[in-house]
């Protein structure tokens, strides 16, 4: 018997339904395989028909969820809805972290971007140097 393949559009609909109906937490230890298992369990309610290629669906779900999961850092209580939104945003070409268009950002942004922490540390160093100069501890030329 030939098995039916589930297309990506239907899988994305399953992700949306899981996001709306499930209250699953996203844990730091979760990977795309864990999330794909939860989505399949939610959709099938544990009953897997024999005429569907479930391994193919699981692999496809992993591929869809993986890029969105890269934007999840740490513990997300009730994170199913957030992860489903990230999947939709990535599909639309939007960066979930910034809300910017991914294609435009790739063209406009330089290849190297300093992190917030590095910029904050540089700001503190600059303020410390200015403070030393104003207190007369560092000679000004």
């Amino acid at each position: 018997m030939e098995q039916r393949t589930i297309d990506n559009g239907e899988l994305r609909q399953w992700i949306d339904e899981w996001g709306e109906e499930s209250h699953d937490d996203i844990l730091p230890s979760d990977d795309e395989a864990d999330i794909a298992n939860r989505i399949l369990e939610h959709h099938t309610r544990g009953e897997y028909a024999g005429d569907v290629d479930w391994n193919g669906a699981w692999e496809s779900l992993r591929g869809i969820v993986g890029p969105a999961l890269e934007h999840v850092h740490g513990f997300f209580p009730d994170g199913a809805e957030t992860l489903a939104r990230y999947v939709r945003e990535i599909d639309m070409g939007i960066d979930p972290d910034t809300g910017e268009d991914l294609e435009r950002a790739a063209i406009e942004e330089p290849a190297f971007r300093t992190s917030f922490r590095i910029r904050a540390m540089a700001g503190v160093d600059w303020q410390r140097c200015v403070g030393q100069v104003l207190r007369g501890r560092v000679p000004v030329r």
Side-chain angles (χ1 to χ4, degrees):
M1 175 164 61
E2 188 174 327
Q3 292 187 323
R4 180 175 70 91
T5 302
I6 301 170
D7 67 7
N8 283 347
E10 189 173 353
L11 293 174
R12 283 177 167 74
Q13 184 179 2
W14 291 3
I15 293 169
D16 283 338
E17 291 170 3
W18 172 73
E20 292 171 5
E21 299 169 2
S22 170
H23 297 284
D24 286 350
D25 297 334
I26 306 296
L27 306 173
S29 60
D30 286 338
D31 62 7
E32 59 270 2
D34 298 321
I35 303 300
N37 284 337
R38 290 186 200 166
I39 294 167
L40 283 175
E41 284 293 318
H42 178 80
H43 180 73
T44 63
R45 308 225 188 308
E47 298 178 14
Y48 297 93
D51 66 335
V52 176
D53 178 15
W54 294 111
N55 288 331
W58 182 74
E59 287 292 336
S60 295
L61 279 170
R62 286 182 62 197
I64 294 169
V65 170
L69 198 56
E70 291 176 9
H71 296 276
V72 175
H73 308 289
F75 174 66
F76 268 55
D78 197 14
E81 182 178 8
T82 301
L83 188 62
R85 187 182 79 235
Y86 287 0
V87 167
R88 283 191 307 274
E89 289 175 352
I90 289 172
D91 285 346
M92 293 186 297
I94 297 171
D95 184 343
D97 292 330
T98 63
E100 296 178 0
D101 183 1
L102 289 171
E103 291 180 16
R104 185 169 32 125
I107 294 170
E108 295 174 359
E109 292 292 325
F112 176 75
R113 290 178 29 179
T114 57
S115 71
F116 171 77
R117 184 174 184 171
I118 292 173
R119 290 191 310 264
M121 289 169 50
V124 169
D125 287 343
W126 178 81
Q127 290 172 352
R128 192 176 307 134
C129 289
V130 170
Q132 296 292 328
V133 169
L134 291 176
R135 289 185 193 96
R137 294 185 185 154
V138 177
V140 179
R141 296 180 199 184

